[in-house]
């Protein structure tokens, strides 16, 4: 066994103050900090030690990162591998965990704020409104660099009619719009198109679904862009049962009259 370890750190959507305390501590304790300048804002490096080795992985394939893991195993170093957003989503995380296991390295994953959460906060919307949408589908458009498994096409997910967050799809906005419409969303379904949310140059625009491709192209958005779509982006709030006076749980008794109203009686 080696005393070396790799901590996969979720850097959040961009703003350094959206790092968790645990993420900041992991970066501060690392001997080597690996980050991709193309995906992660440089402000997160303010948490790194002055003597830490800083490695920009933007131009490196996996084979370019592995030597740092091998050195960590040989010398007992701690590596902080910073991922944009949350490492569990499109972070090429599992293949790195497998390599670390082969090297006998201890690993830890620090979750981060995902960009879909940041965009929802930026536009001031709840994505799961009672009786409107109670699910959020996180996916990407097929036909890109990474093949999609059978049955995971955007048009298939769109049939649910709930809130969707589309990652890595803005470069083919016309195809995205067509698949969402084919799946059953009405043309006037509200959309939010967000570029580098929480970065200094963020751009967030709203449009109808039938205007999605035109809007995306008009603003020259093709990378670092997330699309939210679904009726919850405009629907008014309906009453949640959880906070209704007629609802009871282990910490609160229901009001009898409100209980009858809640049950429709």
């Amino acid at each position: 066994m080696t005393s070396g370890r790799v901590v996969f750190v979720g850097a959040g959507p961009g703003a350094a103050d959206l790092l968790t305390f645990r993420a900041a501590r992991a970066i501060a304790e690392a001997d080597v900090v690996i980050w991709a300048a193309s995906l992660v804002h440089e402000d997160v490096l303010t948490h790194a030690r002055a003597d830490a080795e800083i490695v920009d992985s933007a131009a490196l394939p996996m084979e370019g990162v592995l030597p740092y893991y091998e050195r960590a195993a040989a010398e007992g170093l701690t590596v902080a591998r910073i991922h944009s957003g949350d490492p569990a989503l499109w972070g090429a995380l599992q293949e790195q965990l497998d390599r670390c296991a082969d090297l006998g390295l201890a690993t830890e994953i620090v979750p981060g704020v995902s960009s879909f959460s940041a965009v929802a906060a930026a536009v001031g919307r709840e994505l799961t409104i009672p009786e409107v949408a109670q699910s959020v589908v996180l996916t990407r458009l097929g036909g890109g660099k990474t093949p999609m498994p059978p049955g995971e096409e955007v048009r298939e997910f769109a049939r649910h009619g709930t809130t969707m967050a589309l990652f890595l799809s803005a470069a083919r906005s016309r195809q995205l719009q067509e698949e969402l419409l084919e799946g059953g969303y009405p043309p006037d379904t509200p959309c939010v198109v967000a570029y580098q949310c929480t970065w200094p140059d963020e751009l967030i625009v709203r449009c109808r679904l039938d205007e999605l491709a035109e809007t995306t192209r008009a603003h020259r958005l093709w990378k670092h862009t997330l699309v939210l779509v679904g009726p919850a982006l405009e629907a008014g709030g309906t009453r949640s049962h959880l906070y209704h006076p007629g609802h009871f749980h282990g910490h609160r008794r229901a009001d009898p009259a409100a209980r009858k109203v809640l049950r429709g009686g």
Side-chain angles (χ1 to χ4, degrees):
M1 295 295 293
T2 173
S3 59
R5 62 196 295 262
V6 178
V7 184
F8 296 95
V9 180
D17 58 357
L18 284 176
L19 283 169
T20 65
F21 288 124
R22 186 178 297 184
R25 184 170 64 248
I27 296 171
E29 293 175 350
D31 302 297
V32 181
V33 177
I34 303 176
W35 73 302
S38 58
L39 299 173
V40 178
H41 197 279
E42 63 181 354
D43 284 355
V44 304
L45 298 179
T46 59
H47 297 286
R49 299 195 325 245
D51 63 337
E53 182 178 358
I54 309 297
V55 179
D56 182 1
S57 64
L60 298 178
M62 170 70 83
E63 288 74 10
V65 174
L66 283 177
Y68 295 97
Y69 295 169
E70 293 167 352
R71 215 175 91 215
E75 302 176 21
L77 303 177
T78 295
V79 176
R81 178 69 162 98
I82 302 178
H83 284 249
S84 59
D86 185 282
L89 298 174
W90 297 284
L93 176 64
Q94 193 58 51
E95 60 194 69
Q96 295 183 79
L97 291 171
D98 294 343
R99 298 298 181 90
C100 288
D102 293 340
L103 292 168
L105 285 164
T107 56
E108 179 185 352
I109 302 170
V110 180
V113 176
S114 177
S115 56
F116 83 90
S117 297
V119 174
V123 297
R125 297 299 305 182
E126 179 183 357
L127 302 182
T128 53
I129 297 177
E131 300 179 47
V132 176
Q134 286 291 283
S135 304
V136 180
V137 177
L138 312 180
T139 190
R140 51 177 287 272
L141 190 62
K145 297 177 182 178
T146 303
M148 293 293 282
E152 291 194 18
E153 292 81 10
V154 164
R155 64 174 60 85
E156 296 301 322
F157 286 127
R159 300 188 195 286
H160 296 286
T162 189
T163 308
M164 288 183 67
L166 289 309
F167 294 72
L168 308 169
S169 303
R172 288 168 293 130
S173 57
R174 177 63 61 186
Q175 179 188 346
L176 178 62
Q177 176 179 312
E178 291 174 353
E179 290 204 23
L180 289 168
L181 288 170
E182 289 172 13
Y185 282 114
D188 62 350
T189 301
C191 297
V192 173
V193 183
Y195 168 77
Q196 294 205 154
C197 185
T198 80
W199 290 58
D201 60 343
E202 79 168 16
L203 174 65
I204 300 177
V205 293
R206 292 175 176 268
C207 65
R208 293 165 40 118
L209 177 53
D210 57 5
E211 301 168 339
L212 177 60
E214 178 184 350
T215 301
T216 304
R217 292 178 179 179
H219 290 88
R220 301 178 182 274
L221 302 178
W222 58 279
K223 63 178 182 178
H224 306 317
T225 300
L226 177 79
V227 176
L228 294 179
V229 59
L233 296 173
E234 281 187 358
T238 54
R239 189 68 190 264
S240 167
H241 284 200
L242 179 61
Y243 297 107
H244 194 286
H247 178 71
F248 66 91
H249 52 66
H251 298 275
R252 189 180 73 224
R253 297 182 65 179
D255 176 86
R259 181 67 176 167
K260 289 183 179 180
V261 172
L262 184 62
R263 300 181 68 177

